[in-house]
Amino acid sequence: MNALILAGSRPGAPDPVAEAEGVAHKSLVEIAGKPMLAHVVVALREAGIARIAVSASDPHVRDLAAELGCEVLATGTGPSASVAIGLDTLGAPLLVTTSDHALLKPEWVRDFFADTPEGSDVAILLARREAIEAAMPGSRRTYLRFADGHWSGCNLFLLASPRAGLAIDTWKMVEADRKRPWRIAARLGISMLIGYALGRLTLSDAIGRLGRRIGVTASLVAARDGLAAVDVDKPSDLADARAILSARASSNLKH
């Protein structure tokens, strides 16, 4: 198993976390004494992943990735294009995550592998709203509202077989429509759109049908820990991450 960490920069407005901390990229922001990117790399290594690549364009992030013993890959025109480069370079199975997943724990990665249904070409880890609110009351996330609950992404994707490459063009579409789930449903046909409008379409079914439409077996995997959906998108997230990692460090010292 290999892993790809996405650490590119979105064009346009500067990242609010990097800007608030006065660094070139939020991957470089220090939390509990080390850069955010280092936390992700350590968690992946502790999960048993030896070969890790970082997709980055910022020279400081590329230098840090090399210092951490990671391969450094070029970025594409967007996250999905960067994943395509990573899949071509590293092959499948490939775990994909992001450099702002500062709270990532090795057990989340191991649980994701264990809970992915056999025969899946692609798997996506998502957390239920109840699990997120239980783990972190007051956390404000973006939710996809479907018949089987309200879900938020966990920035963990498994490209389990070479066929997963077929899903990358669809990934571009999902990127564009990730905050408008009705448009995703509309791309699956009128019956799916009606099902969504009537509140009968489950996210699990939507992902499965979307996969079959492009020739892959795609699975939703529910996160066991709601914290898996908490990344660092804004300064308030950074404050939360610092508090949580500080508490973890204190707990580890006690044990």
Side-chain angles (χ1 to χ4, degrees):
M1 176 71 67
N2 301 321
L4 174 68
I5 302 171
L6 299 176
S9 301
R10 289 190 180 274
D15 180 86
V17 175
E19 192 172 42
E21 294 294 304
V23 295
H25 192 280
K26 68 178 173 181
S27 301
L28 307 171
V29 170
E30 287 210 356
I31 303 177
K34 59 189 175 188
M36 199 180 320
L37 177 61
H39 287 279
V40 180
V41 172
V42 168
L44 293 175
R45 289 221 171 97
E46 290 181 356
I49 298 174
R51 188 181 180 191
I52 302 170
V54 176
S55 173
S57 55
D58 182 89
H60 300 92
V61 178
R62 292 172 68 87
D63 288 346
L64 175 60
E67 290 172 15
L68 293 169
C70 301
E71 297 176 43
V72 181
L73 301 182
T75 57
T77 53
S80 56
S82 296
V83 171
I85 294 169
L87 186 60
D88 285 344
T89 304
L90 301 169
L94 179 66
L95 178 76
V96 180
T97 190
T98 56
S99 65
D100 62 357
H101 208 337
L103 301 180
L104 183 64
K105 299 175 78 171
E107 51 262 46
W108 298 348
V109 175
R110 292 191 290 263
D111 290 343
F112 183 26
F113 295 158
D115 294 344
T116 294
E118 189 174 350
S120 298
D121 297 305
V122 179
I124 306 168
L125 190 73
L126 295 111
R128 292 182 180 275
R129 183 171 191 160
E130 311 90 86
I132 297 169
E133 292 179 346
M136 193 172 180
S139 176
R140 300 184 66 179
R141 320 308 307 169
T142 299
Y143 291 101
L144 298 170
R145 299 167 184 265
F146 282 82
D148 51 350
H150 298 176
W151 300 87
S152 188
C154 296
N155 287 352
L156 279 169
F157 309 89
L158 179 60
L159 308 183
S161 80
R163 294 184 62 78
L166 296 172
I168 290 175
D169 284 341
T170 302
W171 188 334
K172 294 177 185 176
M173 176 270 289
V174 172
E175 283 173 8
D177 293 338
R178 66 189 184 280
K179 295 186 179 180
R180 294 170 292 184
W182 64 270
R183 291 191 63 171
I184 298 173
R187 291 173 187 268
L188 294 171
I190 188 65
S191 64
M192 292 282 278
L193 180 58
I194 291 171
Y196 177 77
L198 295 176
R200 296 173 183 166
L201 178 64
T202 68
L203 183 54
S204 179
D205 192 25
I207 289 172
R209 290 199 198 185
L210 191 57
R212 288 192 292 276
R213 193 174 183 120
I214 59 178
V216 300
T217 300
S219 303
L220 180 158
V221 178
R224 301 186 193 185
D225 186 341
L227 272 184
V230 179
D231 54 11
V232 181
D233 280 334
K234 49 191 182 295
S236 60
D237 295 333
L238 178 60
D240 290 336
R242 283 176 166 154
I244 291 167
L245 288 176
S246 177
R248 278 187 196 169
S250 297
S251 177
N252 290 338
L253 285 175
K254 290 176 183 176
H255 293 91

